[in-house]
Amino acid sequence: MSRCLADWAIDHVVLERGEVAHSWRSERWDSLRLLTPNWQSRLPGFGYQGGDPDGYRTLPEVIAFIAGYAKAISAPVRTHTNVTSLRRTEAGYVVRTNDGDWQCRAVVLASGACNIADVPAVAARVPRSVVQLTAQSYRNPRQLAIGGVLVVGASASGTQIAHEIQRSGRPVVLSVGEHIRAPRLYRGKDLEWWMDAAGVLDERYDQVDDIKRARRVPSLQLAGTADRSTLDLNALTALGVTLVGRLAGITEDGKAQFAGSLRNVCALSDLKMARLLDLIDEWARVEGLDGEVPPPERLPPTNVPEAPSLGMNLAAGPIKTIVWATGYRPDYSWLEVPVFDRKGMIVHDGGVVCEPGLYLMGAVFMRRRKSTLIDGAGDDALELSAHLAAYLDGNRARLTA
Ligand SMILES: Cc1cc2nc3c(=O)[nH]c(=O)nc-3n(C[C@H](O)[C@H](O)[C@H](O)COP(=O)(O)OP(=O)(O)OC[C@H]3O[C@@H](n4cnc5c(N)ncnc54)[C@H](O)[C@@H]3O)c2cc1C
């Protein structure tokens, strides 16, 4: 967004509470690699120049990439500047920070979609003897006590963390809720390549049937590993991970209760994967790619245990740690503007917030399916910066852009 505002010659400043790429420096586990290939992190005027376009960036590489971009575009970033409140004034907005106030006519809320680990309320019932971490506070298996680990959530974060912990010698029980299975490679190409080429990631927020539902869909079960292997429940079961259903509750005396729907949840996930692959196959056929890539293939169905456990005594059982990988949510506690719906999410139309001069970036499925990815920021910023420029011009006619 900063780069696009500069293109419009709009005087602006970027306020950052930490260092550039703060969330990658402080809120991710050590071994994390992007699940999007190197070629796919395209920012306006900046792309991957190295010799491994199909590889997946390590955490230090992601930090270097984002910091390098800020430097390359000379983004006017004020680091260690925490925004503590944002209020509307007659002329625009006043932004209060730990380092003084700013007056401005427009504000872009780019504070991230994943600031807080979304932990269910039942966590309060976990016995004190069990250590609780989240996908945000988990760093590596050395941090964990010896003993069993319950990982709750089987989307991208949960499966990657379960994989790493199981391989460290601590037996993992994985509680599986709604998730979407996905092969890493399909017909000889990265799944992200297919979704990018077939236009799946460019699907717009105003073209999907149910945008509210689309914004709640969990991340694909993908991981960026050096061997480009598929990380699904079958891979985890083969390693020795025990699957159980969704965590339905915890009793007062510390017994975890798991839903009996594991088989259905996995069947649904297999079905969603098949739908995505059908769509890709159809696109490949129409584009005349069938002769150039291997034929369509399907993974065997998810192996579901005959009688998955429905309960577990957390107070006196083998589980010593729980890692909540149950999703993330944004933190807008500093936003003192009436822009929230009943669930505390910002009301916006493709990133144009309901209050004039206020814009959003990086929210889930904000303008396109890829809005949540690094790769989505460029197209969104291009369009929203044009809207913002028109707003500053007072040119209402162009505001429909
Ligand atoms: C575990 C995980 C893995 C991911 N993997 C991928 C991947 O493989 N590929 C991909 O493309 N995307 C991935 N993403 C999504 C990725 O986070 C986004 O694509 C990208 O980081 C969004 O950038 P952003 O600038 O919108 O948000 P963030 O990266 O969250 O940046 C927001 C910034 O705002 C700052 N901030 C917040 N509040 C304030 C405040 N009050 N005052 C001042 N500063 C503030 C924060 O410190 C932070 O630096 C992943 C996300 C997670 C959580």
Side-chain angles (χ1 to χ4, degrees):
M1 179 55 92
S2 176
R3 161 69 197 265
C4 294
L5 293 177
D7 285 349
W8 283 99
I10 294 172
D11 189 20
H12 68 281
V13 66
V14 182
L15 305 180
E16 167 56 58
R17 63 182 166 190
E19 295 289 334
V20 172
H22 180 70
S23 56
W24 297 100
R25 292 175 197 270
S26 60
E27 294 169 4
R28 310 279 187 262
W29 58 95
D30 300 342
S31 66
L32 181 136
R33 279 173 178 256
L34 288 193
L35 52 77
T36 42
N38 290 331
W39 59 262
Q40 200 182 9
S41 295
R42 298 163 287 204
L43 292 170
F46 201 69
Y48 182 69
Q49 302 292 336
D52 184 20
D54 293 325
Y56 309 95
R57 284 187 176 84
T58 62
L59 201 46
E61 287 168 346
V62 182
I63 294 166
F65 170 69
I66 295 173
Y69 186 59
K71 205 167 164 203
I73 64 166
S74 305
V77 186
R78 300 270 178 138
T79 54
H80 302 287
T81 306
N82 187 24
V83 176
T84 52
S85 83
L86 177 76
R87 286 199 207 119
R88 190 123 177 73
T89 62
E90 291 267 297
Y93 294 91
V94 59
V95 183
R96 178 143 294 172
T97 81
N98 60 315
D99 191 28
D101 292 357
W102 291 80
Q103 312 278 343
C104 49
R105 287 179 60 203
V107 176
V108 180
L109 307 168
S111 51
C114 303
N115 309 114
I116 299 173
D118 206 0
V119 175
V122 290
R125 289 200 166 168
V126 172
R128 286 222 189 110
S129 56
V130 176
V131 174
Q132 297 187 62
L133 296 170
T134 66
Q136 231 179 24
S137 58
Y138 169 78
R139 289 290 167 272
N140 57 57
R142 294 188 301 283
Q143 187 187 7
L144 311 180
I146 296 297
V149 179
L150 171 63
V151 176
V152 186
S155 289
S157 297
T159 47
Q160 290 178 36
I161 290 170
H163 182 253
E164 174 168 270
I165 296 176
Q166 178 73 28
R167 283 173 28 130
S168 78
R170 293 163 183 81
V172 170
V173 175
L174 179 62
S175 168
V176 180
E178 185 190 352
H179 64 280
I180 306 176
R181 190 180 178 200
R184 179 74 270 182
L185 296 179
Y186 184 62
R187 301 182 71 181
K189 292 182 179 293
D190 198 291
L191 188 73
E192 292 285 343
W193 183 88
W194 285 109
M195 292 200 297
D196 184 58
V200 176
L201 295 174
D202 283 316
E203 203 177 356
R204 285 180 58 93
Y205 75 108
D206 46 7
Q207 287 172 347
V208 290
D209 290 340
D210 183 352
I211 186 62
K212 282 192 180 155
R213 164 79 192 136
R215 285 179 176 149
R216 284 199 309 269
V217 167
S219 59
L220 291 187
Q221 235 176 25
L222 279 176
T225 53
D227 64 357
R228 308 182 79 199
S229 54
T230 292
L231 179 57
D232 57 8
L233 298 183
N234 285 359
L236 291 174
T237 311
L239 266 183
V241 169
T242 304
L243 305 184
V244 294
R246 195 175 62 80
L247 181 67
I250 299 177
T251 60
E252 269 179 32
D253 58 349
K255 290 206 178 65
Q257 299 166 320
F258 302 111
S261 55
L262 181 61
R263 185 166 298 280
N264 287 347
V265 164
C266 292
L268 198 61
S269 172
D270 285 348
L271 194 72
K272 286 182 198 154
M273 175 175 68
R275 268 197 223 128
L276 175 62
L277 300 183
D278 287 348
L279 187 149
I280 287 172
D281 290 339
E282 176 58 13
W283 178 81
R285 192 188 60 76
V286 170
E287 292 296 311
L289 288 181
D290 275 345
E292 293 174 29
V293 293
E297 55 195 304
R298 292 291 178 266
L299 295 174
T302 302
N303 295 321
V304 183
E306 274 308 314
S309 169
L310 296 177
M312 186 176 282
N313 187 352
L314 295 174
I319 298 295
K320 303 294 174 225
T321 311
I322 296 181
V323 182
W324 299 100
T326 35
Y328 307 84
R329 61 189 160 87
D331 176 12
Y332 295 128
S333 55
W334 47 275
L335 200 51
E336 297 175 24
V337 190
V339 292
F340 298 105
D341 66 15
R342 277 186 304 131
K343 294 198 165 160
M345 300 307 279
I346 293 182
V347 178
H348 68 94
D349 182 7
V352 180
V353 181
C354 52
E355 285 284 311
L358 209 51
Y359 296 85
L360 190 59
M361 279 289 292
V364 178
F365 216 141
M366 188 184 75
R367 285 184 84 79
R368 303 174 169 78
R369 197 177 291 282
K370 67 179 179 186
S371 290
T372 199
L373 299 177
I374 294 169
D375 195 48
D379 285 347
D380 289 354
L382 208 63
E383 292 170 3
L384 288 178
S385 61
H387 194 289
L388 192 155
Y391 171 75
L392 294 182
D393 274 357
N395 185 346
R396 299 272 155 195
R398 278 163 56 199
L399 285 178
T400 47

